[in-house]
Amino acid sequence: MAGISRAIRACAAASRRTLAAASGAALPKEEAAAAGAGVRAAATGRRGRDQEDGRRVQWVFLGCPGVGKGTYASRLSQLLGVPHIATGDLVRDALATPGPFSKKLAEIVNHGKLVSDEIIINLLSRRLEEGEEKGELGFILDGFPRTIRQAEILEGVTDIDLVINLKLREEALLAKCLGRRMCSQCGGNFNVASIDIEGENGGARMYMPPLLPPPQCESKLITRADDTEEVVKERLRVYHDLTEPVEEFYRTRGKLLEFNLPGGIPESWPKLLQALNIEDPDNKRSAAA
């Protein structure tokens, strides 16, 4: 894994300057230009990168359950041309791969035990090594690390440039989680909640329209057993207890970007790109059409 660490150090300073710019800090003109260039270079994605510059993006997404980490991480991974890595997917892939390791892992999961940090880091390290061998230009981690111990272990495995902490008002989070539905036939995920909340301290209203299913799925929607108000509130409490120290861990290292979601995807996505100094050529073409 030393190759991963060496390859990103050249762009780490630019990433930190960009973080300061995205957070609204005033920079000298020459540093502001360098900051913008650093992340714009990372964002060239489908427009063609200079492969010789090495890894461009090594980011983490944090955020409460239901905030939309997977959605925004997936969109950014497509735009930047780097993989979106969710540790839950790594565990599922390992379970589906025949061998002694998958049998051991199945015993842990089937007995309702938590998968240890060591196993998660082992799976993640293996995935990053495979990506380095394939010439991947980075990664976006989704929802990991969740504890200080995981953050410290991860720091020994690879360097993280930027941690994007998605935040959403708790009443909106609760409504989103309670509105989640899944089609029992096709497995599609939808949300029946229509969120319209007064702005705080005279701010703009928050509106998040429902994501309704197509007609063929309407009669087949089911609710997750754990999507009850009591369970969701407990998940949020546990998340805050475990993850607030992780936020501080990265804040003290100058790597944390806190982004308050102003609404649904149509409103939040362009503002997130703006905070990251990233241009989406598809958005520009749509606006010009």
Side-chain angles (χ1 to χ4, degrees):
M1 298 305 294
I4 294 177
S5 299
R6 285 196 302 270
I8 62 90
R9 284 197 176 100
C11 70
S15 296
R16 283 192 288 272
R17 288 194 296 269
T18 301
L19 173 59
S23 301
L27 295 176
K29 286 184 179 179
E30 61 273 15
E31 286 198 28
V39 172
R40 277 194 292 274
T44 50
R46 293 161 297 183
R47 293 169 285 163
R49 299 183 200 75
D50 181 354
Q51 296 278 345
E52 295 178 359
D53 284 347
R55 304 177 75 85
R56 308 291 189 126
V57 173
Q58 297 196 173
W59 292 356
V60 166
F61 263 84
L62 296 179
C64 292
V67 77
K69 296 184 297 294
T71 297
Y72 291 102
S74 178
R75 282 179 166 237
L76 274 173
S77 79
Q78 293 176 35
L79 181 62
L80 302 179
V82 297
H84 166 208
I85 302 175
T87 51
D89 292 339
L90 295 180
V91 171
R92 283 186 285 273
D93 290 344
L95 286 169
T97 304
F101 180 74
S102 65
K103 289 181 180 179
K104 178 182 176 182
L105 189 57
E107 287 179 10
I108 294 171
V109 173
N110 293 339
H111 284 85
K113 298 179 181 177
L114 291 175
V115 179
S116 70
D117 291 343
E118 287 74 18
I119 290 178
I120 294 294
I121 288 292
N122 179 35
L123 293 173
L124 180 58
S125 298
R126 197 181 306 172
R127 173 64 183 83
L128 296 182
E129 287 172 354
E130 290 171 357
E132 187 177 22
E133 290 170 2
K134 291 189 292 186
E136 291 176 351
L137 293 179
F139 54 81
I140 297 177
L141 296 183
D142 172 2
F144 184 89
R146 296 181 185 227
T147 66
I148 285 287
R149 183 169 186 269
Q150 290 177 353
E152 290 171 343
I153 296 173
L154 180 62
E155 199 171 48
V157 172
T158 187
D159 292 328
I160 297 299
D161 290 332
L162 180 65
V163 177
I164 303 163
N165 186 27
L166 296 183
K167 306 185 86 171
L168 187 64
R169 290 167 59 179
E170 187 157 324
E171 54 191 307
L173 267 173
L174 185 58
K176 275 191 70 180
C177 289
L178 296 180
R180 290 192 295 199
R181 301 290 186 273
M182 185 177 76
C183 176
S184 59
Q185 182 168 312
C186 73
N189 292 300
F190 308 99
N191 202 300
V192 299
S194 181
I195 300 170
D196 190 356
I197 303 172
E198 289 281 354
E200 293 180 310
N201 302 319
R205 295 181 70 88
M206 174 179 288
Y207 177 63
M208 304 176 76
L211 177 61
L212 298 175
Q216 64 269 25
C217 296
E218 286 179 354
S219 63
K220 304 177 184 67
L221 295 185
I222 57 175
T223 304
R224 280 174 34 170
D226 58 346
D227 274 347
T228 65
E229 185 169 351
E230 182 180 358
V231 171
V232 170
K233 285 184 175 179
E234 178 62 13
R235 284 208 303 263
L236 294 177
R237 184 195 66 77
V238 170
Y239 176 83
H240 287 304
D241 288 348
L242 289 175
T243 311
E244 282 180 3
V246 177
E247 295 171 12
E248 187 60 26
F249 177 89
Y250 287 113
R251 186 180 291 113
T252 59
R253 286 159 173 75
K255 297 182 178 183
L256 188 73
L257 172 62
E258 300 197 271
F259 183 79
N260 290 291
L261 293 164
I265 293 173
E267 185 178 0
S268 297
W269 174 241
K271 291 183 178 178
L272 177 59
L273 293 182
Q274 184 179 19
L276 294 168
N277 288 336
I278 293 176
E279 294 179 356
D280 184 350
D282 288 345
N283 279 354
K284 282 194 166 185
R285 283 195 290 269
S286 298

